[in-house]
Every structure is written in structure tokens, then in C-alpha cells.
Amino acid sequence: MFMAAGAILVTSVQAQVEVSSEGTIKVGDLSKPRNVSGNSLDIAVERLYIYPTANKSGSFVIYNHTASGPVTGGGTVTAHSAVDPYKDVITNPYNLPTYVEPVTAGYLMLGTSTKPLGNIHAGSIYSSGQKITSDRRAKRNIRSLESSTEYLRALRSVRFDFATEIMPLSQDQAKDKIGFIAQEVGEILPELVSYDTLSDLYSMDYVSLIPVLTKGFQEQDSIVRSQQAMLEAQGEMLILLSEQLEAIRKMISGTSAPKKSPVKEHQTGTNLLYQNTPNPFKQETRIRYELASEAQKARLEVYDLHGVQLLGYDLPVKGKGEWVLRGGSLQAGIYLYCLVVDGVQVDMKRMVLVN
């Protein structure tokens, strides 16, 4: 051992220690650069071993300069053989967790926007939210996504358990999962699949599947809207055609349906029949009506365009009401329905049933 100006140098076969006048202690390889700020402990060694204490806690804590709390915690302990001190016997023998935690919640950062982390491998990640950079300024060669419906038809959704001999997960983390097979997705959407040479495993970008799902929904919604508009147009044409047929039928012969007559003057209320909704309809439609307080008997009746009565329903005489007509009781076509109160036809309307 010898002392130089402003520094103490301790050397041995197994270790080297240097203490500078600025308060910096250098342990290990003295050729490595030293912290120039002073008041630091610089350790330049291949491995740093922390052995468990007598109570076998095996934990360690590093405090910030104000000593107000831990900035990182420990619990991962490497035990060694008494015969060969450099041979690993078991890692973390007490199964203690290792924590990296800030002094104040919310003030720990791993990487930055200019220096991001490469990869993070974990069993589960718990978070109250996730943000992925999507700024227009950070993107080039932007173009609209092509049709996605065929992609979605080809994808196979599966239930599975992770193979714990390949994925070192707990039973809770490995059981009863839902997802896709990366190799299968790679044949359909290769942009979503990556291969890790270190683990020899394929992974999938599930978040990037969201735009594909969105595009597929938009395509299906466009088809549904187009079909709905077509049905409405066909319904209007059928109603117009029914009016023309009705006019022709009246010219040829009279209808067997009850003749429409004015409401009796002595009634204090009003009998009303409303247009069915929806119209045209496929599975069912609703017919609303109102009955005068003095009505004694009321019926809703359904006729075809030839005036043949097909259905009849006696109504409870209790003011406002609604009758649900099931489409399965009739074939597709144009029908007339009327409200008959005390033997008098109050009103008649048309409805269209489509396939």
C-alpha cells in the first residue's frame, strides 16, 4: 500500500481500491473512468454479489441523496458453493421479489422519448392506461388501409394455455388465455408478427389489429346501410304499386272489407289508427291505436289486396293500445289493415312485409 498526493491506493491480488481527495471511492478496475462529480462510490467489476444477512432477508435498499426513501429495492440473492465460490448454486433461494420503485409515486421513468428501451419481457403488466406514439409528425408514407373483411374472415381465434416449460409463468398467468397463433396471423397479416432471435419465439402486435377491426366494421356498416336504403326504396315502390293495384281493384270489383264510415257523433272520444312501425318490416311490426271511451267492441283486421281477411284480433276497450304483428304469420307482400269499432271501419292503412 502507498499514498499518493490527494489519493489513497490499495492494491492486492484480488481487489483494487482507490480513494480520491474529492471523496470518490473506486473499487475494482482502476483503469475505468471515475465519477468526476465526487462523493461517489464507483464499482467497476464484472459481477456484484450481495449476500443475505443473518436473518436471510437478502434485501438491499439504495436511498437518494436526501435519504427520504428507497429508489430501488432488492431481494434477488445469488448463493454460492463453499467449494467453488464462483459457481452459482441457486438464484433467489428465498423467492423474494425485486422492486424498482420511486420515492414518490409516479416519478420513475425507464427510458425517454429520445432514448427508449429496447425490449421488456414480463409475465403480466398492470397499468391504469397505455399510450402509444401516434403523432402525425412522427409518421411517413401514410395511406388508407385496404379492405379488411377478407383478413378478418381468415383469422382464427383460439383458447389456449401457455407452455410453462417455454414461458416461465405462474399457473394463473399461463391458464385460460384467448388470442391468436402468431404463425397463422403471419400468413395473413405479416406486419403484425415479429420473430425474436434471442428466445426463438414469434410474437404478435395485438394493438395494431385494432385498425384492421375498425376497417372491417366500417365495411360491414356500409353494406348494411346500403341494404337498408335499398329496402326502404323497395318498400316505397311496393306501397306505390299497392295503391295502383288498389285503384284498379276498386274499378273492377268492390272489396269485402268493411266500408269506411265516419265516427259516430255521439262518441265523446276519438278512434285513431296509426301507421305500423317499422314499415316495411321483416320479423315484426307494431300497430298503435286509440279507442273512444264509449267504444263497446273493437278489432284490428288484416286483408290482402283482394279484400280477403287473413287475420283478426279483438282489442281490449281501454283507450290507447298496441298490437304486435309477427312476420311469420304472413308471406312477403303488401297488406291492408283496418280498425273496426262497433261494426264501423274507422281507418285503413297499408303495410309491406319483406323477406
Side-chain angles (χ1 to χ4, degrees), residues 143-148 151 211-213 215 219:
R143 63 266 190 206
S144 297
L145 185 65
E146 63 275 13
S147 177
S148 297
Y151 295 146
V212 181
L213 296 173
K215 180 67 174 178
E219 292 172 359

Side-chain angles (χ1 to χ4, degrees), residues 160-172:
F160 63 93
D161 299 333
F162 275 117
T164 54
E165 68 273 15
I166 298 178
M167 301 288 292
L169 302 172
S170 66
Q171 290 297 318
D172 292 341

Side-chain angles (χ1 to χ4, degrees), residues 92-112:
N92 196 9
Y94 309 113
N95 196 28
L96 299 172
T98 299
Y99 296 94
V100 177
E101 60 182 14
V103 176
T104 304
Y107 289 93
L108 175 66
M109 294 185 65
L110 299 177
T112 64

Side-chain angles (χ1 to χ4, degrees), residues 24-302:
T24 296
I25 301 174
K26 183 68 177 290
V27 180
D29 187 354
L30 300 182
S31 65
K32 300 295 183 182
R34 189 174 68 220
N35 192 322
V36 297
S37 62
N39 298 317
S40 66
L41 172 62
D42 296 348
I43 302 176
V45 293
E46 181 179 354
R47 291 187 178 183
L48 176 62
Y49 298 97
I50 300 177
Y51 290 87
T53 56
N55 61 7
K56 298 183 179 181
S57 65
S59 63
F60 63 94
V61 176
I62 300 176
Y63 289 83
N64 63 10
H65 69 282
T66 62
S68 60
V71 294
T72 184
T76 300
V77 180
T78 302
H80 299 273
S81 168
V83 178
D84 185 356
Y86 299 103
K87 179 181 179 181
D88 290 345
V89 177
I90 186 171
T91 300
N92 196 9
Y94 309 113
N95 196 28
L96 299 172
T98 299
Y99 296 94
V100 177
E101 60 182 14
V103 176
T104 304
Y107 289 93
L108 175 66
M109 294 185 65
L110 299 177
T112 64
S113 59
T114 56
K115 295 181 179 180
L117 298 179
N119 297 299
I120 297 178
H121 297 265
S124 298
I125 297 177
Y126 298 90
S127 172
S128 60
Q130 183 180 10
K131 296 180 175 64
I132 299 177
T133 301
S134 190
D135 195 303
R136 176 186 293 271
R137 296 169 297 177
K139 300 180 179 182
R140 298 289 184 269
N141 194 24
I142 300 173
R143 63 266 190 206
S144 297
L145 185 65
E146 63 275 13
S147 177
S148 297
T149 302
E150 294 301 323
Y151 295 146
L152 297 178
R153 288 198 183 101
L155 289 176
R156 182 171 73 106
S157 302
V158 298
R159 291 183 178 273
F160 63 93
D161 299 333
F162 275 117
T164 54
E165 68 273 15
I166 298 178
M167 301 288 292
L169 302 172
S170 66
Q171 290 297 318
D172 292 341
Q173 293 174 330
K175 289 288 186 179
D176 299 325
K177 300 296 182 182
I178 297 176
F180 301 95
I181 304 300
Q183 287 89 334
E184 295 179 3
V185 176
E187 297 177 358
I188 304 167
L189 292 166
E191 305 93 330
L192 304 185
V193 176
S194 301
Y195 173 72
D196 180 20
T197 56
L198 183 63
S199 63
D200 187 29
L201 294 175
Y202 288 91
S203 59
M204 177 179 164
D205 182 2
Y206 278 82
V207 174
S208 293
L209 185 61
I210 296 176
V212 181
L213 296 173
T214 302
K215 180 67 174 178
F217 167 79
Q218 292 171 343
E219 292 172 359
Q220 294 301 311
D221 181 66
S222 177
I223 294 174
V224 171
R225 288 176 178 271
S226 176
Q227 290 177 342
Q228 182 63 30
M230 185 180 299
L231 286 174
E232 292 177 355
Q234 290 176 346
E236 293 177 357
M237 292 178 63
L238 288 173
I239 292 175
L240 178 60
L241 178 60
S242 70
E243 292 176 349
Q244 295 174 347
L245 291 174
E246 177 68 7
I248 294 173
R249 186 185 63 80
K250 288 182 178 180
M251 292 175 60
I252 297 174
S253 64
T255 178
S256 60
K259 300 300 183 179
K260 184 175 179 181
S261 302
V263 179
K264 297 180 180 179
E265 296 180 356
H266 68 275
Q267 291 183 335
T268 58
T270 303
N271 299 307
L272 297 175
L273 179 63
Y274 296 93
Q275 185 66 50
N276 64 304
T277 56
N279 188 40
F281 70 100
K282 183 174 183 180
Q283 296 180 346
E284 67 178 30
T285 188
R286 298 178 181 274
I287 301 174
R288 294 189 302 113
Y289 59 88
E290 292 184 23
L291 301 177
S293 59
E294 296 184 6
Q296 299 298 316
K297 185 177 180 180
R299 283 175 57 84
L300 275 174
E301 298 176 346
V302 178

Side-chain angles (χ1 to χ4, degrees), residues 257-265 267 271 338-348:
K259 300 300 183 179
K260 184 175 179 181
S261 302
V263 179
K264 297 180 180 179
E265 296 180 356
Q267 291 183 335
N271 299 307
C338 64
L339 174 63
V340 181
V341 180
D342 296 333
V344 177
Q345 178 188 319
V346 174
D347 196 359
M348 177 179 288

